Amino acid sequence: MTMRTRKLGTTGPQVSALGLGCMGMSGMYGEADRAESIATIHAALEAGVTLLDTGDFYGMGHNELLINEALRTAPAALRENALVSVKFGALRGPDGDWYGFDGRPAAVKNFAAYSLQRLGVDHIDVYRPSRLDPDVPIEETVGAIAELVEKGWVRHIGLSEVGADTIRRAAATAPIADLQIEYALISRGPEREILPTLRELGIAVTAYGVLSRGLISGHVTPDQGFAANDFRAHSPRFQGDNLRHNLTLVESLRKIAEEKGVSVAQIAIAWVLSRGEDIVPLVGARTRQRLGEALGALDVTLEEADLAAIEAAVPADAAAGERYAAEQMAMLDSER
């Protein structure tokens, strides 16, 4: 297959129509297999995926080191095509506890220096604060990244989980390529105000959580248990009655997928792809098998009748439970 591409906004790079989110390869969803993770990154690059997304706090640097190894051991031509997007600013303790976010200019440059070293690269393709630091004006954080751009350490500036007002202020400070935000059939908050603002300003979306952490992948069962170190063990949408309700939505979606001869995951990813050429879904595949399934979404064409059926099966705001626990939701500028 020939990988389609999409552009990250008016100022950003051309990237593959699907990106690979690497967070799950560093233990956020339970134990991951290092060899299989690297093989999955290699398979993604071979399939034409160019966008690799990570965060410096995923496994406290583990994820960046993993990507470093994957790129070092990939064929040179594929390595040269890879673009790495990095989130920074989350503060964590040795036990994984969260201590907030740091968007001070000096911290921005410090985080970048460590990421460059761990990744083994001479520049970061897209650099973004993982969340808004409530104590630091976004202009100062973005201004510090702009200085890194001027010096060649960063190519493009991105944002993550911020609202329309913050997006406007950031874009007035420096060119913004994209906003990374959760966007899926059951996470449609950005449609209200954020997406219109981005389109007005020529800023793209890299959509994470397109399968809602596997919830709408078609692979989760009502009695499925999750390890204590798995994000889903504490996610409201995976708890008790919420999970049972949400899986009824998945079964409704499954009927539509079966009629088209595709999987639930493929139709859910295809739906995000259908939302606009300015949206690049990030798929969090941890294995080559799941990656192959996700790539199949690129071959799924959704007609108007399909989209209407999907909307009827999974209406906006149909999900039970918030996408994060209450204390984490309170950290999201995008939810204010």
Side-chain angles (χ1 to χ4, degrees):
M1 61 177 287
T2 300
M3 176 61 69
R4 301 199 303 271
T5 63
R6 293 183 169 185
K7 197 170 188 298
L8 292 188
T10 56
T11 64
Q14 202 81 13
V15 300
S16 51
L18 284 181
L20 181 63
C22 299
M23 181 182 75
M25 298 175 181
S26 293
M28 297 296 286
Y29 299 118
E31 296 303 318
D33 183 309
R34 186 178 188 85
E36 180 62 23
S37 295
I38 291 172
T40 301
I41 294 174
H42 286 170
L45 295 172
E46 289 165 4
V49 173
T50 60
L51 182 61
L52 304 178
D53 182 77
T54 185
D56 63 8
F57 51 95
Y58 293 168
M60 279 69 89
H62 174 277
N63 207 242
E64 291 179 319
L65 292 169
L66 183 78
I67 290 174
N68 180 330
E69 183 176 349
L71 292 178
R72 281 191 294 105
T73 55
L78 298 180
R79 181 169 64 248
E80 290 168 4
N81 289 335
L83 301 173
V84 182
S85 166
V86 179
K87 289 181 290 299
F88 69 87
L91 303 177
R92 302 183 69 180
D95 56 1
D97 280 356
W98 293 90
Y99 296 114
F101 304 92
D102 193 344
R104 295 171 300 153
V108 172
K109 296 168 185 177
N110 177 75
F111 290 136
Y114 280 84
S115 284
L116 289 164
Q117 181 67 25
R118 283 189 293 260
L119 287 165
V121 297
D122 61 7
H123 70 272
I124 297 167
D125 295 287
V126 188
Y127 201 47
R128 69 183 80 245
S130 59
R131 297 288 187 268
L132 179 68
D133 183 338
D135 298 321
V136 179
I138 190 63
E139 291 86 351
E140 293 185 16
T141 303
V142 168
I145 308 175
E147 291 180 23
L148 294 172
V149 172
E150 290 174 5
K151 294 180 179 180
W153 300 116
V154 169
R155 291 284 190 267
H156 304 281
I157 304 172
L159 300 171
S160 177
E161 287 288 359
V162 292
D165 178 65
T166 302
I167 293 167
R168 291 185 185 281
R169 289 168 54 197
T173 303
I176 305 297
D178 69 325
L179 169 73
Q180 190 171 117
I181 195 166
E182 185 169 354
Y183 185 45
L185 263 171
I186 62 171
S187 298
R188 296 174 60 176
E191 293 176 346
R192 291 190 288 271
E193 185 178 8
I194 291 172
L195 270 177
T197 300
L198 296 172
R199 286 171 171 159
E200 175 191 335
L201 298 172
I203 299 170
V205 172
T206 43
Y208 76 89
V210 294
L211 295 179
S212 300
R213 298 168 180 81
L215 181 57
I216 57 172
S217 68
H219 301 302
V220 172
T221 60
D223 57 352
Q224 187 166 339
F226 299 101
N229 63 345
D230 189 320
F231 171 89
R232 294 168 293 185
H234 314 285
S235 170
R237 289 182 174 175
F238 285 84
Q239 308 305 311
D241 290 340
N242 286 351
L243 177 61
R244 286 184 282 276
H245 168 83
N246 292 332
L247 290 181
T248 64
L249 301 176
V250 175
E251 291 311 305
S252 297
L253 191 61
R254 192 186 304 277
K255 294 175 183 177
I256 301 169
E258 288 175 349
E259 289 175 2
K260 290 192 70 68
V262 301
S263 73
V264 177
Q266 287 169 340
I267 206 164
I269 296 168
W271 181 87
V272 179
L273 283 164
S274 76
R275 297 300 85 196
E277 289 292 317
D278 55 349
I279 298 175
V280 177
L282 298 172
V283 294
R286 298 196 294 170
T287 66
R288 285 166 286 181
Q289 180 182 5
R290 291 288 184 251
L291 173 67
E293 180 183 21
L295 290 171
L298 293 166
D299 296 323
V300 178
T301 299
L302 297 178
E303 308 293 347
E304 287 301 320
D306 298 321
L307 294 170
I310 292 169
E311 183 72 27
V314 188
D317 300 322
E322 298 285 2
R323 55 196 182 100
Y324 288 100
E327 60 273 15
Q328 291 174 302
M329 287 293 288
M331 300 177 186
L332 299 178
D333 182 65
S334 55
E335 294 288 341
R336 297 194 176 100

